[in-house]
Amino acid sequence: MRFISAGRRHALFEFGDLRVVCLRDGYLDMPPTRLRDETGSPLDPVPDTVPLAEGNLRLSVNAFCISDGTQSVLVDTGASNALEPTMGSLYDAMSEAGIERDDITDVAITHRHGDHVHGLIAPDGSEAFPRLERVWIGAGDKSVFTDRLEPVRDRVVPIEAEVAINGWLTAVPTAGHTPGHTVFDVQSSTGHLLVWGDTVHVPSLQFDQPNVAWEFDGDQTQARAARATLLEQLVKPGYFVAGAHLDSPGIARVTRAGDSYALTYLAPSIS
């Protein structure tokens, strides 16, 4: 994985025979009480090493576009205008990176929450990706396609089990945060990139303390188990991670650090 360049809202990486672009949709501030210990209670105390912005956790919101030069797949879509005004920059990020919305025929959604899926619909109510053919999402989360998202419901492809989306992208179910939470394994000529949604919310804490959960994990025990499995996979040679809530641009390498893990970003931060 090689960092090539960055702008205000995007960063470009070369990954063997593939191109990976991090697209920054913005950020979301959440109270530290969202963090949960192994009993399900708010984590107390929150370590001093966890940075706060005016008393809140600041979560980057990232999406990722992967291309082989012929086909481009967008993983997650940001929030559009459905949530906080600090989000909704995905379309500007795509433009900055030189990615045409018309080029996107496949969108892969990590899970059903608004900061990952609502960008399928632009602020004016139109479909954000005019040539969209398929929306891949875990079967347990497909019920989200009502109301605002109804226009794309006819193109939803439910993921029931591990399945190849194309020759270099595989959907891997990782239920826990939501019933349909899914990780997308990008395989290039040089290795694997695991693109995840809400496996980790607070990177400054949850690699060092992976048993810390999140209030909105639908099944905290299952979410912990999924995170443990993925972290063990990521320490293998040739593996990298791209995270929706890792600090933008959100692409990193994971290594062991005693009984825990350490994260090393592959590019300078963008904010």
Side-chain angles (χ1 to χ4, degrees):
M1 179 76 72
R2 184 167 70 95
F3 170 61
I4 302 297
S5 61
R8 187 170 168 228
R9 294 187 176 94
H10 86 283
L12 171 63
F13 297 81
E14 181 184 88
F15 186 40
D17 48 345
L18 301 175
R19 184 181 80 162
V20 180
V21 183
C22 170
L23 302 163
R24 180 171 168 81
D25 192 61
Y27 66 88
L28 183 63
D29 285 345
M30 296 288 236
T33 52
R34 300 286 188 228
L35 293 165
R36 298 301 163 109
D37 64 21
E38 292 189 68
T39 71
S41 301
L43 185 68
D44 187 20
V46 175
D48 293 338
T49 53
V50 176
L52 299 178
E54 298 181 355
N56 287 312
L57 301 165
R58 179 155 290 178
L59 279 60
S60 290
V61 180
N62 308 311
F64 301 91
C65 185
I66 303 102
S67 177
D68 63 3
T70 300
Q71 182 183 18
S72 296
V73 178
L74 180 64
V75 181
D76 283 349
T77 65
S80 187
N81 63 334
L83 297 175
E84 301 297 329
T86 55
M87 293 182 282
S89 295
L90 175 77
Y91 316 126
D92 290 339
M94 292 179 70
S95 178
E96 181 184 273
I99 301 170
E100 299 291 337
R101 287 197 253 166
D102 281 351
D103 292 342
I104 304 299
T105 58
D106 286 76
V107 170
I109 300 294
T110 60
H111 66 291
R112 66 191 181 200
H113 290 158
D115 51 330
H116 301 262
V117 70
H118 277 312
L120 284 162
I121 303 298
D124 65 2
S126 66
E127 292 189 25
F129 308 105
R131 295 183 58 244
L132 182 69
E133 296 178 7
R134 290 165 292 270
V135 181
W136 302 80
I137 191 169
D141 285 0
K142 68 180 181 179
S143 61
V144 73
F145 291 95
T146 59
D147 301 324
R148 174 192 178 96
L149 297 173
E150 180 72 33
V152 300
R153 185 176 182 177
D154 62 328
R155 279 151 288 170
V156 169
V157 182
I159 299 164
E160 304 278 359
E162 185 170 318
V163 62
I165 291 175
N166 58 31
W168 41 264
L169 184 63
T170 300
V172 182
T174 54
H177 180 64
T178 64
H181 194 277
T182 302
V183 167
F184 296 95
D185 183 355
V186 182
Q187 185 171 4
S188 79
S189 57
T190 59
H192 291 259
L193 175 68
L194 301 185
V195 187
W196 69 30
D198 284 19
T199 303
V200 164
H201 290 84
V202 182
S204 60
L205 176 65
Q206 288 178 287
F207 287 91
D208 182 54
Q209 298 184 41
N211 281 336
V212 173
W214 190 247
E215 179 182 4
F216 297 141
D217 288 337
D219 185 323
Q220 292 183 12
T221 299
Q222 195 175 26
R224 286 189 184 94
R227 181 163 51 252
T229 297
L230 290 166
L231 289 171
E232 282 299 296
Q233 192 171 5
L234 283 166
V235 297
K236 296 178 181 178
Y239 274 79
F240 303 87
V241 63
H245 298 307
L246 300 187
D247 298 336
S248 295
I251 294 182
R253 180 181 291 109
V254 178
T255 55
R256 294 190 188 280
D259 294 331
S260 299
Y261 303 87
L263 189 70
T264 303
Y265 288 105
L266 300 188
S269 63
I270 56 176
S271 58

